């Protein structure tokens, strides 16, 4: 199974600022995924990060708000831009084979 | 797109009893169905999965069944223990035309079931 790490594990930010979350996988993977999980809720896919091309965003999520980088096959970043309290959530990256998907430990973001 | 419905939202059982969580999906092209367990403050952990060419899969106390005709799949936990208490999520993966029709792991999750096992 893939081992996935994320940084930071948590942060408290002021509204209007931006936060970049890093995701590192211990092996090369084709796809990396970014999810949001609001308290007590299920997981919602934000976007799929492809190495060497632009990320593919799900309905309701846009690149200006959640820019993603994927510089190589083991690393990705998600930026939450111009944050508001509604962005307070847990952000998880995920990856694996074409079938099996594993999750990072998540980044707990609080926006004041 | 795919829609996954999960029931019940909460489930309370006594230790040693069985627990069953059910999910239905909408896209008949879905071909992979994982189940995740998420303990409080932790990441979702894959506990079992099944592919559309198989009707049932078992791993010790955990089993998953799939009915492709009815488009539903279920998680069965036997001899429940207090450490089984967690939130369980089902998911379904379908092919994604944005990636040339391949699946590439794009999962749609159910709403989750809070399982409580009382000692």
């Amino acid at each position: 199974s893939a081992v996935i790490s994320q940084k930071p594990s948590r942060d408290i930010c002021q509204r209007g600022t931006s936060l970049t979350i890093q995701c590192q996988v211990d092996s090369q993977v084709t796809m990396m995924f970014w999810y949001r999980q609001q308290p007590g809720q299920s997981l919602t896919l934000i976007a799929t990060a492809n190495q060497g091309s632009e990320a593919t965003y799900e309905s309701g999520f846009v690149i200006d708000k959640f820019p993603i980088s994927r510089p190589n096959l083991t690393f990705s970043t998600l930026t939450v831009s111009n944050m508001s309290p509604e962005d307070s959530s847990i952000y998880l990256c995920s990856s694996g084979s074409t079938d099996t998907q594993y999750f990072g430990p998540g980044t707990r973001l609080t926006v004041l | 797109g795919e829609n996954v419905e999960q029931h019940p939202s909460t489930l309370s059982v006594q230790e040693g009893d069985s627990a069953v969580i059910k999910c239905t999906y909408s896209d008949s092209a879905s071909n992979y169905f994982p189940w995740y367990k998420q303990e409080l403050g932790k990441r979702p952990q894959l506990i079992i999965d099944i592919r559309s060419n198989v009707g049932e899969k078992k791993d010790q106390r955990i089993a998953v069944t799939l009915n492709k005709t009815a488009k539903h799949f279920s998680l069965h936990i036997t001899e429940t223990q207090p450490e089984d208490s967690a939130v369980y999520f089902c998911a379904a993966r379908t092919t994604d035309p944005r990636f040339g029709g391949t699946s590439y792991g794009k999962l749609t999750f159910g709403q989750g079931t809070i399982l409580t096992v009382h000692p």
Side-chain angles (χ1 to χ4, degrees):
Chain A
S1 65
V3 176
I4 304 174
S5 59
Q6 278 183 242
K7 288 195 296 187
S9 59
R10 60 178 61 227
D11 208 340
I12 301 173
C13 301
Q14 297 297 320
R15 68 172 67 207
T17 62
S18 298
L19 176 71
T20 296
I21 303 168
Q22 299 179 7
C23 179
Q24 180 77 50
V25 186
D26 69 340
S27 58
Q28 294 185 341
V29 291
T30 305
M31 296 291 189
M32 294 177 74
F33 306 90
W34 286 98
Y35 288 85
R36 183 171 72 183
Q37 186 176 31
Q38 297 184 311
Q41 302 295 311
S42 185
L43 295 96
T44 300
L45 182 65
I46 298 171
T48 302
N50 316 304
Q51 195 270 332
S53 63
E54 281 199 6
T56 304
Y57 289 82
E58 298 300 306
S59 176
F61 298 96
V62 295
I63 188 171
D64 290 346
K65 176 67 175 177
F66 298 100
I68 286 172
S69 77
R70 182 79 198 276
N72 57 52
L73 290 174
T74 64
F75 186 79
S76 178
T77 68
L78 169 76
T79 299
V80 186
S81 302
N82 188 23
M83 289 184 285
S84 67
E86 293 70 37
D87 295 319
S88 297
S89 189
I90 297 173
Y91 293 85
L92 299 114
C93 69
S94 175
S95 191
S97 69
T98 52
D99 279 355
T100 315
Q101 201 168 126
Y102 301 98
F103 285 87
T107 296
R108 181 179 296 271
L109 171 62
T110 302
V111 184
L112 302 178
Chain B
E2 176 65 282
N3 182 50
V4 178
E5 296 288 334
Q6 182 172 345
H7 299 280
S9 57
T10 61
L11 180 59
S12 182
V13 300
Q14 288 296 127
E15 182 177 2
D17 289 349
S18 295
V20 181
I21 303 171
K22 299 182 179 181
C23 288
T24 60
Y25 60 98
S26 61
D27 190 344
S28 56
S30 288
N31 55 16
Y32 173 68
F33 307 91
W35 286 88
Y36 289 86
K37 174 184 180 182
Q38 188 176 31
E39 298 176 26
L40 190 63
K42 302 287 184 62
R43 75 185 80 189
Q45 296 272 14
L46 179 69
I47 57 171
I48 196 167
D49 56 12
I50 191 167
R51 289 167 178 77
S52 57
N53 58 346
V54 176
E56 183 174 358
K57 183 177 178 180
K58 192 172 182 180
D59 182 4
Q60 300 182 348
R61 297 186 297 108
I62 295 173
V64 57
T65 59
L66 171 65
N67 184 325
K68 284 194 300 181
T69 303
K71 289 191 283 189
H72 68 69
F73 57 111
S74 300
L75 177 71
H76 304 253
I77 305 174
T78 58
E79 300 172 27
T80 54
Q81 302 167 2
E83 49 266 40
D84 293 329
S85 296
V87 182
Y88 291 80
F89 293 100
C90 64
R93 185 199 69 190
T94 189
T95 55
D96 192 328
R98 297 174 299 178
F99 300 117
T102 58
S103 302
Y104 279 107
K106 178 179 181 291
L107 298 175
T108 301
F109 284 84
Q111 297 88 342
T113 296
I114 301 172
L115 173 64
T116 304
V117 181
H118 299 281

